[in-house]
Amino acid sequence: MRGAENEFYSKPFVVLCWLIAAIGGLMFGYDIGISGGVTSMDDFLIMFFPGVYAKKKHAKENNYCKYADPYVQLFTSSLYLAALCASFIGSKVCSKYGRKMTMLVASIFYLLGVTLNAAANGLVMLILGRILLGVGVGFGNEAVPLFLSEIAPIKIRGAVNILFQLFVTTGILIANVINYVAAEKHPWGWRLALGLAGVPAFMLLVGSFVIPETPTSLIERGHEEKGKLTLQKIRRTKNVEEEYQSILTASRLSQETQSSFSKLMRPSSRPPLVIGIMMQVFQQFTGINAIMFYAPVLFQTVGFGANAALISSVIIGFVNVFSTLVSIKTVDKFGRRALLLEACCQMFLTQVVVGIILAVRLKITGSLGHGEAIGVVILVCLYVMSFAWSWGPLGWLIPSEIFPLEIRTTGFAFAVSANMLCTFVIAQAFLSMLCHMHAFVFFFFAAWIVAMGLFVIFLLPETKGVPIEEMVDRVWKQHWFWKNYMDRDVDADGQKVKELEF
Ligand SMILES: OC[C@H]1O[C@](O)(CO)[C@@H](O)[C@@H]1O
């Protein structure tokens, strides 16, 4: 139940607010999961991509190139391009009007996009719908992870933030199941699959009226009293002075006249900026979306029947959701680095073995035997499992907790857009890569995994349990490499910038 002005929120209401915000993740995940299944439905291909349909009918089962069509790829990837641009506008809305308002705007774009998609009668309408959905993703993915990290109690900040990725994976799974059912409904199954995204979009719309604004955003925008009151309500205690003061200090720093972009370009902003961007670039170059977008297509390509391919991607979807739960349980206990490094080992091994099996077997016999096919699905599950408890959620968590308030929304927009850009590149390129590199595409991603392991070992500090407002002193200034950037800020006259004291 919601409390009156000076009462605390009930525990279930606080948790409900986390869940409502995380619906933004569900929308994102649904959009990710739906495109692969829809593009393997014949009715959909006949209507929008007749050329691809003809190629598919005449191609051999293991032809790596049968889906490599730029327009099919554009259907999947246009969403990410739109999201890439929208996240910067989203960051402005987020700092000027708050996280809650940004989520509301996201839900409106989502609803518009879903309507166009489900009603599409031509390629233009279809792509336009995907672009509107992309704008929703840009706004939603900017606001939701920040909302969750700011509203969460420090001790469980990691776990609360990971609700976003948990809902992303749930959205992907629901989309896979719906694709499986909708594929049987001729000729309108694809409309059902695309249109059902309206359900979470509507829930987010209603929910964004229910949740409170984060105390940080309220204080940052000058509503200090209201911010303190909200902090007391969500922490369910009057005793919030310490946290309130640290947000207030951070907010006063952010009131300096320099634009947040100039502040982001200062040397002292470099550590979070580089890490925020690289976490997202690496998350995508694990190759996860090669699996997520194209699992049914990929499995058909290596010789699974259409049904077996869809079922395998549903199995992968379950593994993805349940392994994300592992991360919720462990991230605030074992820390971020341990999860990331373990996953690098597991992902590297599974990618290499899948690559070897496909390279050897498809060359010799042209398709996989029954046992080998099951083996490949198991290996892909092991790969997805480790991604899901590491780079998946931490790609969002770490960027949302490392930026000081004064550059938080702008810095986070760079991280979101890096994710969108790389997702776009992989969505656009993967089928062509598969067509040209064949099974070697798995070795390409394995090489990236080595690079990201080294990055974690040398450049990624542990942020578990550190209050967001204390990252500078407790993390960056203590790190062997990043500390070199912390004392080098100069103002326009070349004078060293002094830290403000309160
Ligand atoms: O669970 C996998 C999904 O998670 C993401 O990396 C987002 O965090 C998506 O790009 C991917 O499809």
Side-chain angles (χ1 to χ4, degrees):
M1 244 210 344
R2 249 185 123 150
E5 268 303 283
N6 55 355
E7 281 172 7
F8 304 140
Y9 290 143
S10 70
K11 231 183 201 165
F13 179 74
V14 173
V15 174
L16 181 71
C17 292
W18 303 343
L19 298 177
I20 289 175
I23 295 174
L26 194 84
M27 263 320 292
F28 177 43
Y30 192 89
D31 290 333
I32 292 171
I34 212 70
S35 51
V38 167
T39 46
S40 68
M41 290 180 199
D42 287 350
D43 297 318
F44 180 80
L45 290 178
I46 292 167
M47 177 139 183
F48 298 105
F49 308 100
V52 178
Y53 176 72
K55 247 202 296 181
K56 179 181 166 188
K57 280 283 147 232
H58 296 113
K60 288 206 206 103
E61 273 306 315
N62 65 344
N63 182 341
Y64 281 109
C65 303
K66 67 183 168 194
Y67 289 103
D69 176 273
Y71 291 105
V72 174
Q73 287 164 338
L74 189 67
F75 165 69
T76 301
S77 58
S78 52
L79 182 146
Y80 301 95
L81 214 50
L84 166 76
C85 306
S87 61
F88 287 103
I89 307 170
S91 83
K92 290 269 168 279
V93 177
C94 210
S95 73
K96 206 154 181 224
Y97 302 102
R99 301 11 172 179
K100 181 177 150 97
M101 172 62 91
T102 315
M103 283 186 237
L104 174 68
V105 176
S107 68
I108 293 171
F109 276 104
Y110 275 137
L111 281 170
L112 292 174
V114 171
T115 312
L116 279 193
N117 262 353
N121 52 16
L123 195 57
V124 173
M125 212 165 150
L126 189 72
I127 303 281
L128 208 62
R130 286 289 283 182
I131 291 175
L132 289 175
L133 286 177
V135 177
V137 169
F139 276 71
N141 287 13
E142 169 75 20
V144 174
L146 288 182
F147 177 91
L148 291 172
S149 280
E150 288 175 350
I151 211 128
I154 295 163
K155 275 204 186 125
I156 52 164
R157 185 178 66 227
V160 174
N161 179 281
I162 290 175
L163 287 175
F164 173 71
Q165 180 71 5
L166 181 70
F167 275 50
V168 171
T169 56
T170 308
I172 297 176
L173 173 63
I174 295 176
N176 284 339
V177 174
I178 287 177
N179 272 335
Y180 185 66
V181 176
E184 300 302 316
K185 313 271 175 240
H186 301 288
W188 46 268
W190 63 269
R191 286 192 196 276
L192 178 71
L194 295 177
L196 280 175
V199 177
F202 186 70
M203 283 160 67
L204 186 64
L205 177 79
V206 176
S208 55
F209 287 101
V210 175
I211 54 175
E213 180 54 275
T214 69
T216 312
S217 174
L218 285 167
I219 295 168
E220 186 189 12
R221 289 181 292 125
H223 309 296
E224 295 176 3
E225 263 317 298
K226 194 161 177 211
K228 187 171 183 181
L229 208 67
T230 309
L231 194 59
Q232 289 172 336
K233 284 177 168 185
I234 58 172
R235 298 285 179 260
R236 311 178 66 248
T237 165
K238 289 247 174 247
N239 189 10
V240 293
E241 203 46 39
E242 199 183 327
E243 191 175 356
Y244 173 67
Q245 283 305 330
S246 84
I247 301 175
L248 201 60
T249 309
S251 142
R252 299 238 164 104
L253 272 173
S254 73
Q255 315 286 307
E256 280 179 70
T257 47
Q258 241 187 344
S259 77
S260 64
F261 182 76
S262 325
K263 287 179 195 161
L264 193 63
M265 292 301 125
R266 289 172 176 175
S268 65
S269 303
R270 208 128 326 142
L273 183 61
V274 171
I275 289 180
I277 292 176
M278 289 318 289
M279 282 305 295
Q280 296 283 22
V281 171
F282 284 148
Q283 185 204 62
Q284 288 307 309
F285 277 86
T286 54
I288 187 67
N289 278 322
I291 306 290
M292 290 299 146
F293 297 152
Y294 299 117
V297 171
L298 186 69
F299 285 128
Q300 278 190 48
T301 303
V302 298
F304 284 43
N307 230 359
L310 278 174
I311 292 184
S312 311
S313 33
V314 171
I315 296 174
I316 289 173
F318 270 107
V319 171
N320 198 11
V321 173
F322 284 104
S323 311
T324 309
L325 288 172
V326 173
S327 173
I328 291 189
K329 268 284 204 220
T330 52
V331 71
D332 293 310
K333 201 148 113 213
F334 302 143
R336 286 59 168 152
R337 281 166 52 93
L339 289 176
L340 292 169
L341 284 174
E342 185 285 334
C344 281
C345 301
Q346 196 168 326
M347 287 192 294
F348 177 80
L349 287 175
T350 46
Q351 293 260 25
V352 169
V353 178
V354 169
I356 292 174
I357 295 180
L358 294 188
V360 174
R361 294 305 296 169
L362 295 184
K363 197 158 188 192
I364 299 173
T365 59
S367 69
L368 296 177
H370 184 64
E372 286 154 348
I374 293 180
V376 167
V377 174
I378 292 177
L379 284 166
V380 171
C381 285
L382 286 171
Y383 160 82
V384 170
M385 191 182 279
S386 53
F387 172 90
W389 61 54
S390 60
W391 291 87
L394 301 190
W396 299 101
L397 167 63
I398 293 178
S400 77
E401 65 184 9
I402 54 177
F403 287 103
L405 182 59
E406 49 181 343
I407 51 169
R408 189 168 304 154
T409 56
T410 317
F412 194 67
F414 274 84
V416 176
S417 58
N419 182 292
M420 295 306 147
L421 179 65
C422 297
T423 309
F424 168 77
V425 169
I426 297 212
Q428 196 67 23
F430 179 70
L431 289 180
S432 312
M433 281 165 76
L434 189 66
C435 171
H436 292 111
M437 294 169 75
H438 300 185
F440 286 90
V441 73
F442 290 96
F443 302 132
F444 168 80
F445 289 123
W448 273 93
I449 289 171
V450 175
M452 54 189 81
L454 294 174
F455 179 83
V456 175
I457 293 173
F458 294 110
L459 293 175
L460 187 80
E462 182 58 64
T463 46
K464 175 189 91 173
V466 183
I468 301 188
E469 317 309 339
E470 291 174 26
M471 288 290 161
V472 172
D473 290 332
R474 288 180 49 184
V475 174
W476 308 123
K477 286 187 177 169
Q478 313 298 328
H479 189 267
W480 72 274
F481 179 73
W482 297 122
K483 70 176 179 207
N484 298 319
Y485 288 88
M486 297 320 292
D487 218 9
R488 294 203 342 222
D489 292 353
V490 287
D491 61 21
D493 311 324
Q495 300 295 317
K496 230 165 145 192
V497 173
K498 283 213 191 79
E499 283 181 29
L500 298 185
E501 283 176 20
F502 297 96

